[in-house]
Amino acid sequence: SGIVDNEKLVYDIDKFARNTISREIEDFEFILKKLNDNYLLSSEQIKKWNGKIFVVGHSRGAAVALLESAKRHDISGLVSIASIAKTDR
């Protein structure tokens, strides 16, 4: 995100510039793959899990969630909070 110190709101501009929506989409897809491959859950959690995935996103995370949910069939629900309107920057 580029935030170095959240309390003082100190930003690292270079880190912020490297954190693009494309990278966030790649991260999102990676996490979903690991979840679907049962890599992120313990065997006990897998037994209890109904297989449904619900996604919550805020700001740019909401845009990522909206874009990915529209093209995937493994996401059962979505909460979008204050999504950005444009993804180009």
Side-chain angles (χ1 to χ4, degrees), residues 30-31 33-42 46:
F30 177 82
I31 293 296
K33 178 175 180 357
K34 293 298 183 182
L35 181 62
N36 284 321
D37 291 345
N38 294 326
Y39 184 78
L40 298 178
L41 303 176
S42 69
I46 291 169

Side-chain angles (χ1 to χ4, degrees), residues 36-89:
N36 284 321
D37 291 345
N38 294 326
Y39 184 78
L40 298 178
L41 303 176
S42 69
S43 57
E44 192 62 33
Q45 291 171 318
I46 291 169
K47 289 178 193 173
K48 295 177 182 178
W49 183 35
N50 66 5
K52 293 186 176 184
I53 299 171
F54 293 85
V55 180
V56 178
H58 172 259
S59 190
R60 186 163 51 180
V64 169
L66 286 164
L67 290 168
E68 286 297 296
S69 295
K71 69 179 187 179
R72 298 181 68 103
H73 300 288
D74 57 348
I75 297 175
S76 299
L78 167 69
V79 176
S80 171
I81 304 167
S83 179
I84 61 173
K86 295 180 180 181
T87 59
D88 58 337
R89 67 163 195 137

Side-chain angles (χ1 to χ4, degrees), residues 1-2 4 11-20 23 89:
S1 71
V4 177
Y11 297 94
D12 181 326
I13 299 302
D14 292 330
K15 283 184 181 178
F16 184 77
R18 289 190 303 268
N19 184 27
T20 64
R23 281 195 163 186
R89 67 163 195 137

